[in-house]
Amino acid sequence: QPIAAHDRRAYDQAVNHRRLTVIQALARQHNASINDVVLAYVLSQSFPTVAVIGPKNPEQLHRSLSALTVALSAVELAALENA
């Protein structure tokens, strides 16, 4: 399903392109997927968060659970937040 124009405008921003570059680098450094890094970021917040993953099958669930093995350092978190 194509992305709606208003959604594209909301997310297709320079800051998100910079963040994607940082996420890709962190994924390589941690030998993890982009999804793992994003979920690790969400779960590392200092305030209560819930990562809603919505797997459609057990394989997707297991892939998402692998994010629990990714520990982002304070420097890495700052790189994501300041991208």
PDB file of all heavy atoms in Angstrom, residues 52-77:
ATOM      1  N   VAL A  52       5.196  -1.525  20.463  1.00  0.00           N
ATOM      2  CA  VAL A  52       4.153  -2.337  19.840  1.00  0.00           C
ATOM      3  C   VAL A  52       4.714  -2.862  18.529  1.00  0.00           C
ATOM      4  O   VAL A  52       4.991  -2.089  17.611  1.00  0.00           O
ATOM      5  CB  VAL A  52       2.869  -1.504  19.597  1.00  0.00           C
ATOM      6  CG1 VAL A  52       1.800  -2.343  18.934  1.00  0.00           C
ATOM      7  CG2 VAL A  52       2.376  -0.924  20.908  1.00  0.00           C
ATOM      8  N   ILE A  53       4.890  -4.184  18.443  1.00  0.00           N
ATOM      9  CA  ILE A  53       5.578  -4.748  17.281  1.00  0.00           C
ATOM     10  C   ILE A  53       4.631  -5.404  16.270  1.00  0.00           C
ATOM     11  O   ILE A  53       4.908  -5.393  15.099  1.00  0.00           O
ATOM     12  CB  ILE A  53       6.671  -5.737  17.713  1.00  0.00           C
ATOM     13  CG1 ILE A  53       6.101  -6.825  18.604  1.00  0.00           C
ATOM     14  CG2 ILE A  53       7.795  -4.988  18.409  1.00  0.00           C
ATOM     15  CD1 ILE A  53       7.069  -7.929  18.938  1.00  0.00           C
ATOM     16  N   GLY A  54       3.554  -6.015  16.688  1.00  0.00           N
ATOM     17  CA  GLY A  54       2.557  -6.587  15.780  1.00  0.00           C
ATOM     18  C   GLY A  54       3.056  -7.656  14.830  1.00  0.00           C
ATOM     19  O   GLY A  54       2.827  -7.554  13.626  1.00  0.00           O
ATOM     20  N   PRO A  55       3.739  -8.687  15.330  1.00  0.00           N
ATOM     21  CA  PRO A  55       4.209  -9.733  14.417  1.00  0.00           C
ATOM     22  C   PRO A  55       3.038 -10.511  13.823  1.00  0.00           C
ATOM     23  O   PRO A  55       2.020 -10.720  14.467  1.00  0.00           O
ATOM     24  CB  PRO A  55       5.057 -10.634  15.322  1.00  0.00           C
ATOM     25  CG  PRO A  55       4.481 -10.434  16.676  1.00  0.00           C
ATOM     26  CD  PRO A  55       4.031  -9.002  16.720  1.00  0.00           C
ATOM     27  N   LYS A  56       3.210 -10.935  12.578  1.00  0.00           N
ATOM     28  CA  LYS A  56       2.172 -11.713  11.902  1.00  0.00           C
ATOM     29  C   LYS A  56       2.432 -13.209  11.998  1.00  0.00           C
ATOM     30  O   LYS A  56       1.576 -14.014  11.671  1.00  0.00           O
ATOM     31  CB  LYS A  56       2.075 -11.289  10.443  1.00  0.00           C
ATOM     32  CG  LYS A  56       1.623  -9.864  10.269  1.00  0.00           C
ATOM     33  CD  LYS A  56       1.408  -9.555   8.797  1.00  0.00           C
ATOM     34  CE  LYS A  56       1.171  -8.106   8.519  1.00  0.00           C
ATOM     35  NZ  LYS A  56       0.095  -7.460   9.143  1.00  0.00           N
ATOM     36  N   ASN A  57       3.645 -13.579  12.431  1.00  0.00           N
ATOM     37  CA  ASN A  57       3.975 -15.000  12.561  1.00  0.00           C
ATOM     38  C   ASN A  57       5.110 -15.150  13.576  1.00  0.00           C
ATOM     39  O   ASN A  57       5.738 -14.166  13.964  1.00  0.00           O
ATOM     40  CB  ASN A  57       4.342 -15.598  11.195  1.00  0.00           C
ATOM     41  CG  ASN A  57       5.481 -14.866  10.532  1.00  0.00           C
ATOM     42  OD1 ASN A  57       6.535 -14.665  11.125  1.00  0.00           O
ATOM     43  ND2 ASN A  57       5.277 -14.457   9.284  1.00  0.00           N
ATOM     44  N   PRO A  58       5.376 -16.366  14.022  1.00  0.00           N
ATOM     45  CA  PRO A  58       6.425 -16.572  15.031  1.00  0.00           C
ATOM     46  C   PRO A  58       7.808 -16.090  14.586  1.00  0.00           C
ATOM     47  O   PRO A  58       8.580 -15.576  15.405  1.00  0.00           O
ATOM     48  CB  PRO A  58       6.418 -18.085  15.254  1.00  0.00           C
ATOM     49  CG  PRO A  58       5.034 -18.511  14.899  1.00  0.00           C
ATOM     50  CD  PRO A  58       4.635 -17.609  13.761  1.00  0.00           C
ATOM     51  N   GLU A  59       8.116 -16.204  13.307  1.00  0.00           N
ATOM     52  CA  GLU A  59       9.423 -15.749  12.827  1.00  0.00           C
ATOM     53  C   GLU A  59       9.589 -14.246  13.036  1.00  0.00           C
ATOM     54  O   GLU A  59      10.642 -13.782  13.475  1.00  0.00           O
ATOM     55  CB  GLU A  59       9.580 -16.089  11.344  1.00  0.00           C
ATOM     56  CG  GLU A  59      10.921 -15.675  10.781  1.00  0.00           C
ATOM     57  CD  GLU A  59      11.036 -15.976   9.296  1.00  0.00           C
ATOM     58  OE1 GLU A  59      10.334 -16.867   8.804  1.00  0.00           O
ATOM     59  OE2 GLU A  59      11.832 -15.295   8.648  1.00  0.00           O
ATOM     60  N   GLN A  60       8.548 -13.469  12.734  1.00  0.00           N
ATOM     61  CA  GLN A  60       8.614 -12.024  12.951  1.00  0.00           C
ATOM     62  C   GLN A  60       8.746 -11.702  14.434  1.00  0.00           C
ATOM     63  O   GLN A  60       9.464 -10.776  14.807  1.00  0.00           O
ATOM     64  CB  GLN A  60       7.381 -11.341  12.369  1.00  0.00           C
ATOM     65  CG  GLN A  60       7.365 -11.302  10.867  1.00  0.00           C
ATOM     66  CD  GLN A  60       6.120 -10.633  10.322  1.00  0.00           C
ATOM     67  OE1 GLN A  60       5.188 -10.317  11.054  1.00  0.00           O
ATOM     68  NE2 GLN A  60       6.102 -10.420   9.012  1.00  0.00           N
ATOM     69  N   LEU A  61       8.083 -12.461  15.272  1.00  0.00           N
ATOM     70  CA  LEU A  61       8.203 -12.262  16.720  1.00  0.00           C
ATOM     71  C   LEU A  61       9.643 -12.499  17.165  1.00  0.00           C
ATOM     72  O   LEU A  61      10.221 -11.680  17.883  1.00  0.00           O
ATOM     73  CB  LEU A  61       7.256 -13.190  17.469  1.00  0.00           C
ATOM     74  CG  LEU A  61       7.409 -13.191  18.991  1.00  0.00           C
ATOM     75  CD1 LEU A  61       7.101 -11.822  19.572  1.00  0.00           C
ATOM     76  CD2 LEU A  61       6.526 -14.253  19.611  1.00  0.00           C
ATOM     77  N   HIS A  62      10.243 -13.590  16.715  1.00  0.00           N
ATOM     78  CA  HIS A  62      11.618 -13.891  17.110  1.00  0.00           C
ATOM     79  C   HIS A  62      12.596 -12.840  16.603  1.00  0.00           C
ATOM     80  O   HIS A  62      13.538 -12.474  17.311  1.00  0.00           O
ATOM     81  CB  HIS A  62      12.019 -15.292  16.633  1.00  0.00           C
ATOM     82  CG  HIS A  62      11.306 -16.381  17.353  1.00  0.00           C
ATOM     83  ND1 HIS A  62      11.560 -16.694  18.667  1.00  0.00           N
ATOM     84  CD2 HIS A  62      10.309 -17.202  16.956  1.00  0.00           C
ATOM     85  CE1 HIS A  62      10.763 -17.678  19.058  1.00  0.00           C
ATOM     86  NE2 HIS A  62       9.991 -17.996  18.028  1.00  0.00           N
ATOM     87  N   ARG A  63      12.360 -12.345  15.392  1.00  0.00           N
ATOM     88  CA  ARG A  63      13.239 -11.285  14.865  1.00  0.00           C
ATOM     89  C   ARG A  63      13.123 -10.023  15.713  1.00  0.00           C
ATOM     90  O   ARG A  63      14.114  -9.360  15.988  1.00  0.00           O
ATOM     91  CB  ARG A  63      12.901 -10.992  13.405  1.00  0.00           C
ATOM     92  CG  ARG A  63      13.463 -12.032  12.448  1.00  0.00           C
ATOM     93  CD  ARG A  63      13.528 -11.531  11.014  1.00  0.00           C
ATOM     94  NE  ARG A  63      12.304 -10.921  10.547  1.00  0.00           N
ATOM     95  CZ  ARG A  63      11.435 -11.490   9.703  1.00  0.00           C
ATOM     96  NH1 ARG A  63      11.657 -12.705   9.261  1.00  0.00           N
ATOM     97  NH2 ARG A  63      10.360 -10.844   9.323  1.00  0.00           N
ATOM     98  N   SER A  64      11.920  -9.692  16.142  1.00  0.00           N
ATOM     99  CA  SER A  64      11.746  -8.497  16.966  1.00  0.00           C
ATOM    100  C   SER A  64      12.338  -8.690  18.355  1.00  0.00           C
ATOM    101  O   SER A  64      12.895  -7.754  18.928  1.00  0.00           O
ATOM    102  CB  SER A  64      10.266  -8.132  17.076  1.00  0.00           C
ATOM    103  OG  SER A  64       9.782  -7.694  15.828  1.00  0.00           O
ATOM    104  N   LEU A  65      12.232  -9.879  18.893  1.00  0.00           N
ATOM    105  CA  LEU A  65      12.787 -10.141  20.227  1.00  0.00           C
ATOM    106  C   LEU A  65      14.308 -10.033  20.244  1.00  0.00           C
ATOM    107  O   LEU A  65      14.895  -9.787  21.300  1.00  0.00           O
ATOM    108  CB  LEU A  65      12.335 -11.507  20.732  1.00  0.00           C
ATOM    109  CG  LEU A  65      10.859 -11.622  21.095  1.00  0.00           C
ATOM    110  CD1 LEU A  65      10.510 -13.053  21.475  1.00  0.00           C
ATOM    111  CD2 LEU A  65      10.486 -10.655  22.205  1.00  0.00           C
ATOM    112  N   SER A  66      14.939 -10.185  19.087  1.00  0.00           N
ATOM    113  CA  SER A  66      16.399 -10.060  19.052  1.00  0.00           C
ATOM    114  C   SER A  66      16.854  -8.650  19.423  1.00  0.00           C
ATOM    115  O   SER A  66      18.002  -8.447  19.808  1.00  0.00           O
ATOM    116  CB  SER A  66      16.941 -10.458  17.674  1.00  0.00           C
ATOM    117  OG  SER A  66      16.523  -9.544  16.689  1.00  0.00           O
ATOM    118  N   ALA A  67      15.945  -7.683  19.364  1.00  0.00           N
ATOM    119  CA  ALA A  67      16.286  -6.315  19.776  1.00  0.00           C
ATOM    120  C   ALA A  67      16.655  -6.259  21.254  1.00  0.00           C
ATOM    121  O   ALA A  67      17.381  -5.355  21.676  1.00  0.00           O
ATOM    122  CB  ALA A  67      15.119  -5.370  19.495  1.00  0.00           C
ATOM    123  N   LEU A  68      16.178  -7.208  22.017  1.00  0.00           N
ATOM    124  CA  LEU A  68      16.484  -7.220  23.452  1.00  0.00           C
ATOM    125  C   LEU A  68      17.959  -7.470  23.717  1.00  0.00           C
ATOM    126  O   LEU A  68      18.444  -7.211  24.826  1.00  0.00           O
ATOM    127  CB  LEU A  68      15.629  -8.270  24.165  1.00  0.00           C
ATOM    128  CG  LEU A  68      14.129  -8.027  24.125  1.00  0.00           C
ATOM    129  CD1 LEU A  68      13.375  -9.208  24.723  1.00  0.00           C
ATOM    130  CD2 LEU A  68      13.769  -6.731  24.837  1.00  0.00           C
ATOM    131  N   THR A  69      18.697  -7.955  22.724  1.00  0.00           N
ATOM    132  CA  THR A  69      20.134  -8.203  22.898  1.00  0.00           C
ATOM    133  C   THR A  69      20.982  -6.996  22.512  1.00  0.00           C
ATOM    134  O   THR A  69      22.192  -7.023  22.677  1.00  0.00           O
ATOM    135  CB  THR A  69      20.584  -9.422  22.061  1.00  0.00           C
ATOM    136  OG1 THR A  69      20.438  -9.108  20.672  1.00  0.00           O
ATOM    137  CG2 THR A  69      19.773 -10.664  22.407  1.00  0.00           C
ATOM    138  N   VAL A  70      20.337  -5.950  21.991  1.00  0.00           N
ATOM    139  CA  VAL A  70      21.071  -4.751  21.572  1.00  0.00           C
ATOM    140  C   VAL A  70      21.041  -3.740  22.717  1.00  0.00           C
ATOM    141  O   VAL A  70      19.987  -3.282  23.133  1.00  0.00           O
ATOM    142  CB  VAL A  70      20.454  -4.125  20.303  1.00  0.00           C
ATOM    143  CG1 VAL A  70      21.177  -2.843  19.928  1.00  0.00           C
ATOM    144  CG2 VAL A  70      20.474  -5.123  19.154  1.00  0.00           C
ATOM    145  N   ALA A  71      22.225  -3.418  23.232  1.00  0.00           N
ATOM    146  CA  ALA A  71      22.344  -2.428  24.303  1.00  0.00           C
ATOM    147  C   ALA A  71      23.033  -1.194  23.732  1.00  0.00           C
ATOM    148  O   ALA A  71      24.215  -1.236  23.388  1.00  0.00           O
ATOM    149  CB  ALA A  71      23.140  -3.006  25.468  1.00  0.00           C
ATOM    150  N   LEU A  72      22.279  -0.128  23.605  1.00  0.00           N
ATOM    151  CA  LEU A  72      22.837   1.116  23.081  1.00  0.00           C
ATOM    152  C   LEU A  72      23.484   1.908  24.213  1.00  0.00           C
ATOM    153  O   LEU A  72      22.890   2.087  25.274  1.00  0.00           O
ATOM    154  CB  LEU A  72      21.739   1.942  22.412  1.00  0.00           C
ATOM    155  CG  LEU A  72      21.057   1.280  21.213  1.00  0.00           C
ATOM    156  CD1 LEU A  72      19.894   2.135  20.734  1.00  0.00           C
ATOM    157  CD2 LEU A  72      22.044   1.012  20.096  1.00  0.00           C
ATOM    158  N   SER A  73      24.681   2.393  23.962  1.00  0.00           N
ATOM    159  CA  SER A  73      25.389   3.188  24.966  1.00  0.00           C
ATOM    160  C   SER A  73      24.810   4.599  25.017  1.00  0.00           C
ATOM    161  O   SER A  73      24.064   5.019  24.126  1.00  0.00           O
ATOM    162  CB  SER A  73      26.880   3.260  24.615  1.00  0.00           C
ATOM    163  OG  SER A  73      27.063   4.073  23.463  1.00  0.00           O
ATOM    164  N   ALA A  74      25.196   5.338  26.043  1.00  0.00           N
ATOM    165  CA  ALA A  74      24.749   6.728  26.164  1.00  0.00           C
ATOM    166  C   ALA A  74      25.218   7.550  24.970  1.00  0.00           C
ATOM    167  O   ALA A  74      24.490   8.413  24.476  1.00  0.00           O
ATOM    168  CB  ALA A  74      25.266   7.326  27.470  1.00  0.00           C
ATOM    169  N   VAL A  75      26.408   7.270  24.474  1.00  0.00           N
ATOM    170  CA  VAL A  75      26.944   7.987  23.309  1.00  0.00           C
ATOM    171  C   VAL A  75      26.104   7.660  22.067  1.00  0.00           C
ATOM    172  O   VAL A  75      25.784   8.551  21.274  1.00  0.00           O
ATOM    173  CB  VAL A  75      28.428   7.628  23.086  1.00  0.00           C
ATOM    174  CG1 VAL A  75      28.946   8.168  21.763  1.00  0.00           C
ATOM    175  CG2 VAL A  75      29.270   8.133  24.247  1.00  0.00           C
ATOM    176  N   GLU A  76      25.744   6.398  21.909  1.00  0.00           N
ATOM    177  CA  GLU A  76      24.929   5.992  20.758  1.00  0.00           C
ATOM    178  C   GLU A  76      23.537   6.592  20.821  1.00  0.00           C
ATOM    179  O   GLU A  76      22.990   7.046  19.813  1.00  0.00           O
ATOM    180  CB  GLU A  76      24.858   4.463  20.678  1.00  0.00           C
ATOM    181  CG  GLU A  76      26.195   3.839  20.317  1.00  0.00           C
ATOM    182  CD  GLU A  76      26.223   2.345  20.480  1.00  0.00           C
ATOM    183  OE1 GLU A  76      25.501   1.795  21.354  1.00  0.00           O
ATOM    184  OE2 GLU A  76      26.976   1.691  19.739  1.00  0.00           O
ATOM    185  N   LEU A  77      22.950   6.596  22.015  1.00  0.00           N
ATOM    186  CA  LEU A  77      21.627   7.219  22.179  1.00  0.00           C
ATOM    187  C   LEU A  77      21.697   8.705  21.851  1.00  0.00           C
ATOM    188  O   LEU A  77      20.813   9.255  21.180  1.00  0.00           O
ATOM    189  CB  LEU A  77      21.109   7.003  23.606  1.00  0.00           C
ATOM    190  CG  LEU A  77      20.754   5.562  23.968  1.00  0.00           C
ATOM    191  CD1 LEU A  77      20.488   5.445  25.460  1.00  0.00           C
ATOM    192  CD2 LEU A  77      19.566   5.078  23.161  1.00  0.00           C
TER     193      LEU A  77
END
